[in-house]
Amino acid sequence: MAQETVTGARTAIQAARKPRLTFWQILNMNVGFFGIQFSFGLQQSNMSPIYKYLGAHDASLPYLWLAGPITGLIVQPLIGALSDRTVTRLGRRTPYFLIGALICSVCLFAMPLSPALWIAASLLWILDAANNITMEPYRAFVGDRLDASQHTVGYLAQSAFTGLSQTLAYLTPSILVGLGMQAGAVNRHGIPDVVLIAFIIGAVCSITSVAWSAWTTPELPLSDQEKARIRHAPRNLGATLGEIADAIRDMPATMRQLAVMMLFQWYAMFCYWEYITLSIARTLFRTTDSANPAFAQSALISGQMGGFYNFVAMLAAFGMMPLARRLGAKPIHAVCLLCGGAGMLLLPGMHARAMLLVPMLGVGLAWASMMGNPYAILASSIPPERAGVYMGLFNVFIVLPMLLQILTVPLMYAHVLAGNPENVIRLAGAMLLAAAALTLRVKSP
């Protein structure tokens, strides 16, 4: 109780000096999320097909996705803690997300030119590290810049940009085909030309959108007391690791409860991203062979489905803003996860192409909520001066379930899941239903 009182007092003091932003200013400060999530959308929709084009086997796909969880596990809490202790002319958070966006752009440009499977996997490690360097300080920046009453709108604005950018990321290959590019045209490494152009577009979006937000929405200046506290804090690796350990020990109860829920929802999403193209190929064309022309068609279809659910997510994020203010983020999140779980359970039973979009309505609602509401609940439960390290640790609760999924699905794939990618999608649906139930147990501040 004493810790909660101190946290509430600190939050009130910080909020008192933070100017309230208009809705359009909040959107403007989150434009950078468009580029960050465009990159993630390209990964989610194209990495499994790229790996297959370069010779990967179905059951080994999760191992090739290890980059995200491992880099996130290491990079996110370190960068979060370092950004709490940084003082520069640009601010605490801005240097990190500018450097991360630049590295991300370089990796996006190089990814579809990979001549071998190991090069593509290595680039994904660097790309995920860069995205993590950008993401966590950006999340903390929103908490720094907005007072507590605007946290929900701020994080749901990030969710809206996630939906918009990933809609375009998923649909870009199909749009390029519609503009006249040949879907079957490939480079000398077997990767489609439409994928190459999509990644180049993503590289440009990554750096330009983040730079725009950094230029138009500067960080609030730190007080002299805050600067003195940061400058006198030790900055070596041992001190940073000590800060992370202290944050884990002092973690608010709300954050611990959210961590359990996150285990199930992110296990589900990683199952979906890894196996949706293979599931669609089996459902519609009875194949998972990347040499079959139907596989390339399945990749386009799954991209269109991803674009649709992200478009739903963008609209849903705006719709949730007044609802979350009125009802609270927790019940909204539970209902959205329930819809997402139902959608994924229905998906393998849809054998008509047009019907595949129906389950995506539920997945879109779940995705919109996952990218906004848990952060809104979290932001009100952590001390503002430690926002960076706690945002970094919170995203460890994303990468740990992903790591668990990567290690367990290959062991289950042949026997428990019958070697059928459709069963992986069904497993994802069950996990989202469990996450919905666990959300109701979270005691939000």
Side-chain angles (χ1 to χ4, degrees), residues 5-356:
T5 302
V6 171
T7 299
R10 287 171 175 165
T11 303
I13 292 168
Q14 284 230 338
R17 68 179 182 83
K18 293 179 183 178
R20 287 182 60 83
L21 301 186
T22 67
F23 176 72
W24 296 109
Q25 287 174 320
I26 293 173
L27 286 183
N28 196 53
M29 73 180 293
N30 284 298
V31 166
F33 234 65
F34 177 89
I36 297 170
Q37 293 297 333
F38 199 103
S39 170
F40 277 116
L42 290 174
Q43 291 179 55
Q44 293 161 12
S45 59
N46 291 286
M47 285 314 302
S48 284
I50 285 174
Y51 286 151
K52 288 283 288 181
Y53 291 131
L54 294 173
H57 298 291
D58 293 2
S60 67
L61 285 176
Y63 294 132
L64 293 168
W65 282 75
L66 269 171
I70 294 296
T71 56
L73 190 64
I74 298 170
V75 172
Q76 289 173 351
L78 281 176
I79 293 298
L82 287 171
S83 71
D84 282 340
R85 296 163 177 252
T86 297
V87 179
T88 72
R89 184 174 59 84
L90 294 175
R92 287 192 293 176
R93 321 293 185 185
T94 304
Y96 293 96
F97 52 73
L98 285 176
I99 292 170
L102 181 60
I103 298 172
C104 179
S105 295
V106 173
C107 292
L108 286 172
F109 183 83
M111 180 67 76
L113 301 175
S114 301
L117 185 60
W118 71 269
I119 293 179
S122 299
L123 281 171
L124 185 61
W125 282 80
I126 302 172
L127 177 59
D128 269 306
N131 275 327
N132 287 318
I133 290 171
T134 305
M135 176 77 74
E136 305 330 310
Y138 208 121
R139 294 245 190 231
F141 165 62
V142 173
D144 294 343
R145 197 68 172 79
L146 299 176
D147 65 45
S149 66
Q150 294 189 304
H151 281 164
T152 298
V153 175
Y155 287 111
L156 284 174
Q158 288 189 348
S159 178
F161 275 113
T162 298
L164 174 61
S165 61
Q166 293 198 10
T167 296
L168 295 176
Y170 274 91
L171 292 181
T172 295
S174 295
I175 292 171
L176 293 172
V177 170
L179 293 175
M181 290 189 69
Q182 295 296 317
V186 299
N187 63 22
R188 59 195 178 95
H189 307 304
I191 298 173
D193 291 342
V194 292
V195 174
L196 171 64
I197 300 303
F199 272 71
I200 292 174
I201 293 171
V204 174
C205 288
S206 177
I207 187 62
T208 55
S209 64
V210 171
W212 172 263
S213 285
W215 179 54
T216 59
T217 313
E219 296 187 47
L220 291 175
L222 297 172
S223 68
D224 291 339
Q225 293 86 348
E226 288 171 320
K227 289 179 181 178
R229 177 183 61 81
I230 292 172
R231 286 181 175 136
H232 284 90
R235 302 186 186 185
N236 55 53
L237 179 60
T240 301
L241 294 175
E243 168 65 15
I244 294 170
D246 289 344
I248 294 172
R249 187 191 63 236
D250 300 335
M251 189 180 298
T254 297
M255 188 172 175
R256 295 180 187 274
Q257 293 163 347
L258 284 170
V260 179
M261 178 274 296
M262 300 263 282
L263 171 65
F264 288 85
Q265 73 175 25
W266 287 105
Y267 192 107
M269 293 309 298
F270 228 47
C271 285
Y272 176 87
W273 293 326
E274 287 174 354
Y275 282 94
I276 185 58
T277 296
L278 277 69
S279 178
I280 295 305
R282 183 179 175 90
T283 300
L284 296 185
F285 305 110
R286 314 311 300 172
T287 184
T288 60
D289 182 6
S290 61
N292 190 321
F295 186 82
Q297 186 67 17
S298 299
L300 287 176
I301 292 171
S302 64
Q304 292 160 9
M305 292 165 58
F308 179 75
Y309 87 68
N310 275 284
F311 180 72
V312 171
M314 178 188 68
L315 299 180
F318 287 114
M320 286 180 200
M321 290 178 185
L323 286 175
R325 283 198 300 266
R326 189 170 186 174
L327 302 176
K330 185 176 78 171
I332 299 296
H333 190 54
V335 170
C336 289
L337 290 178
L338 183 65
C339 293
M344 287 197 187
L345 289 173
L346 290 172
L347 188 57
M350 300 294 176
H351 296 279
R353 181 170 173 176
M355 292 300 293
L356 292 172

Side-chain angles (χ1 to χ4, degrees), residues 390-405:
Y390 274 123
M391 284 294 175
L393 285 172
F394 193 62
N395 283 280
V396 168
F397 302 145
I398 296 175
V399 300
L400 284 177
M402 289 181 175
L403 182 59
L404 179 64
Q405 187 270 352

